[in-house]
């Protein structure tokens, strides 16, 4: 079949149009995060004040050394005082709670000052990006402040999550609650509702953890099983089964308990910081939630200084 010059010209124009369209699409796609970019992984460590967030981070860093994983910690609590582990980045270098409380123009109290600090961080995420870009380690814990407002109706933490995801982080929310607080039915439901509020607001893979099991008495440890796999309607009926409470109050408790029970919305993992297996079980659950390791390239293990000493050749025989 013979082609005229007109046919060839039409073919070239058609090819150019299709190729230009595909090239335009590829150029646009390249402006977004590439699906082939190696992701980084992290935990947003949250929970009420005193729930053991910094201790949790310390134990995870130590456990990472045992299993040969490099785990870094970023402090996002502007009111933190000290750590027993090195921090990759510290929000106090950007803004400290005392800065907000001592400023004559602001005159914030502790809670208002902390919210101001977190909103200031949200306006300066470029500072955090610079800190994170300085290291190649791919597993980072973000030690967060404990004020509940930050996870319920203040958008700063939600903005942090969205920003980290734009930076190719796979983030899990890790919500800690002191087990000593959770061995009464009413307090347990309060903790469950706080954790649930955080889960709904942040929209992250979420793992809830009961901490400080090593501080429980023997009797409390026996009762703990009722709360790790709870039947909430039964627990609440036992606690409020007397005439001091109105029927409306009992119906409200029953409705909340039934909702959580039927939809399996909140479950807790036990964490005993003195038990290496307990720490490892929690870490495995979190790793599974963020699919850690599926996209990792093989890395050379860091040499153990003890191994180097054992293999050292002194140059002498015998």
């Amino acid at each position: 079949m013979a082609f005229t010059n007109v046919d060839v010209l039409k073919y070239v124009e058609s090819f150019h149009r299709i190729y230009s369209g595909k090239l335009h699409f590829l150029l646009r796609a390249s402006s977004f995060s590439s699906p082939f970019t190696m992701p980084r992984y992290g935990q947003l460590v949250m929970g009420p004040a005193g729930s053991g967030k910094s201790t949790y981070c310390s134990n995870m860093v130590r456990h990472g050394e045992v299993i040969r994983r490099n785990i870094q910690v970023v402090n996002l609590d502007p009111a933190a005082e000290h750590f027993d582990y090195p921090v990759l980045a510290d929000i106090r270098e950007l803004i400290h709670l005392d800065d907000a409380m001592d400023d004559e123009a602001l005159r914030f109290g502790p809670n208002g000052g902390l919210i101001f600090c977190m909103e200031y961080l949200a306006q300066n995420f470029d500072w955090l990006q610079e800190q994170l870009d300085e290291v190649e380690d791919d597993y980072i814990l973000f030690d967060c402040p404990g004020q509940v407002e930050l996870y319920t109706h203040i958008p700063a933490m939600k903005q942090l999550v969205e920003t980290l995801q734009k930076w190719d982080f796979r983030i899990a929310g890790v919500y800690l609650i002191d087990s000593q607080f959770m061995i009464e039915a009413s307090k347990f439901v309060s903790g469950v509702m706080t954790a649930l509020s955080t889960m709904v607001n942040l929209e992250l893979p979420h793992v809830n953890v009961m901490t400080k099991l090593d501080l429980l008495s023997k009797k409390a440890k026996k009762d703990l099983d009722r709360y790790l796999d709870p039947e909430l309607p039964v627990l609440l009926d036992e606690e409020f089964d007397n005439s001091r409470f109105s029927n409306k109050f009992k119906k409200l408790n029953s409705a909340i308990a039934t909702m959580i029970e039927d939809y399996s919305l909140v479950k807790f993992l036990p964490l005993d910081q003195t038990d290496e297996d307990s720490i490892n079980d929690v870490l495995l659950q979190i790793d599974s939630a963020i699919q850690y390791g599926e996209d990792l390239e093989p890395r050379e293990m860091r040499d153990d200084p003890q191994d180097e000493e054992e293999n050292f050749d002194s140059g002498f025989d015998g």
Side-chain angles (χ1 to χ4, degrees), residues 76 78 91 94-95 108 111-125 145 149-150 153-157 159:
L76 294 182
I91 189 177
L94 176 70
I95 185 170
F108 283 120
N111 285 340
L114 193 142
I115 291 173
F116 174 82
C117 290
M118 298 310 294
E119 290 178 339
Y120 185 81
L121 171 65
Q123 296 172 0
N124 294 273
F125 280 142
E149 301 96 316
L150 294 171
H153 57 277
I154 303 295
M157 297 306 294
Q159 293 169 355

Side-chain angles (χ1 to χ4, degrees), residues 43-60 141-146 148 151 172-182 191-192 194-195 198-199 206-212 267-271 273 282 286:
Q43 300 179 22
L44 216 59
V45 183
M46 304 168 288
S51 59
K53 296 184 292 295
S54 294
T55 302
Y56 170 88
C57 292
S58 176
N59 288 327
M60 280 296 169
L141 309 183
F142 297 89
D143 189 358
C144 301
V148 176
Y151 312 101
V174 181
Y175 197 86
L176 310 182
I177 291 188
D178 187 344
S179 59
Q180 300 174 99
F181 174 81
M182 299 286 280
V192 166
T194 305
T198 303
M199 292 168 62
H206 205 92
V207 177
N208 300 298
V209 179
M210 275 194 190
T211 60
K212 303 185 181 180
K267 298 290 183 182
F268 286 91
L269 294 176
L271 176 61
Q273 67 172 358
V282 171
I286 297 168

Side-chain angles (χ1 to χ4, degrees), residues 185-186 188 226-227 230-240:
S186 56
F188 177 77
R226 303 176 65 201
Y227 298 95
E231 295 182 8
L232 282 182
V234 175
L235 291 175
L236 290 175
D237 284 344
E238 290 177 357
E239 180 159 343
F240 299 115

Side-chain angles (χ1 to χ4, degrees), residues 235-272:
L235 291 175
L236 290 175
D237 284 344
E238 290 177 357
E239 180 159 343
F240 299 115
D241 187 21
N242 59 58
S243 57
R244 290 186 301 158
F245 302 98
S246 67
N247 288 331
K248 287 185 178 180
F249 179 78
K250 292 179 180 178
K251 287 181 179 179
L252 174 62
N253 282 333
S254 177
I256 293 173
T258 301
M259 176 191 68
I260 295 172
E261 183 85 8
D262 290 348
Y263 291 95
S264 299
L265 293 175
V266 180
K267 298 290 183 182
F268 286 91
L269 294 176
L271 176 61
D272 183 345

Side-chain angles (χ1 to χ4, degrees), residues 18-206:
I18 295 172
Y19 180 81
S20 297
K22 289 184 177 181
L23 181 61
H24 179 66
F25 171 80
L26 291 173
L27 288 173
R28 287 192 60 196
S30 66
S31 64
F32 299 97
S33 177
S34 170
F36 301 106
T37 300
M38 294 300 294
R40 304 173 79 182
Y41 300 86
Q43 300 179 22
L44 216 59
V45 183
M46 304 168 288
S51 59
K53 296 184 292 295
S54 294
T55 302
Y56 170 88
C57 292
S58 176
N59 288 327
M60 280 296 169
V61 170
R62 178 177 52 80
H63 183 70
E65 295 172 352
V66 172
I67 63 175
R68 300 289 187 93
R69 182 190 299 185
N70 301 328
I71 299 178
Q72 300 280 357
V73 182
V74 171
N75 174 48
L76 294 182
D77 186 355
E81 295 182 356
H82 65 275
F83 313 100
D84 60 354
Y85 50 84
V87 292
L88 170 64
D90 190 345
I91 189 177
R92 296 175 301 176
E93 297 176 359
L94 176 70
I95 185 170
H96 196 287
L97 177 61
D98 292 342
D99 299 334
M101 294 178 62
D102 295 341
D103 191 291
E104 291 296 329
L106 299 175
R107 304 181 68 85
F108 283 120
N111 285 340
L114 193 142
I115 291 173
F116 174 82
C117 290
M118 298 310 294
E119 290 178 339
Y120 185 81
L121 171 65
Q123 296 172 0
N124 294 273
F125 280 142
D126 53 340
W127 170 84
L128 180 60
Q129 187 173 22
E130 290 175 3
Q131 307 299 313
L132 296 178
D133 287 344
E134 290 181 359
V135 296
E136 296 181 357
D137 292 329
D138 53 32
Y139 207 103
I140 299 176
L141 309 183
F142 297 89
D143 189 358
C144 301
Q147 272 63 17
V148 176
E149 301 96 316
L150 294 171
Y151 312 101
T152 55
H153 57 277
I154 303 295
M157 297 306 294
K158 177 66 174 176
Q159 293 169 355
L160 172 64
V161 168
E162 293 172 347
T163 301
L164 290 174
Q165 290 172 337
K166 289 179 182 177
W167 297 342
D168 293 314
F169 271 92
R170 291 183 183 175
I171 297 291
V174 181
Y175 197 86
L176 310 182
I177 291 188
D178 187 344
S179 59
Q180 300 174 99
F181 174 81
M182 299 286 280
I183 53 177
E184 295 179 18
S186 56
K187 294 180 179 179
F188 177 77
V189 173
S190 174
V192 166
M193 296 302 292
T194 305
L196 180 58
S197 176
T198 303
M199 292 168 62
V200 171
N201 187 45
L202 297 185
E203 299 179 294
L204 282 174
H206 205 92

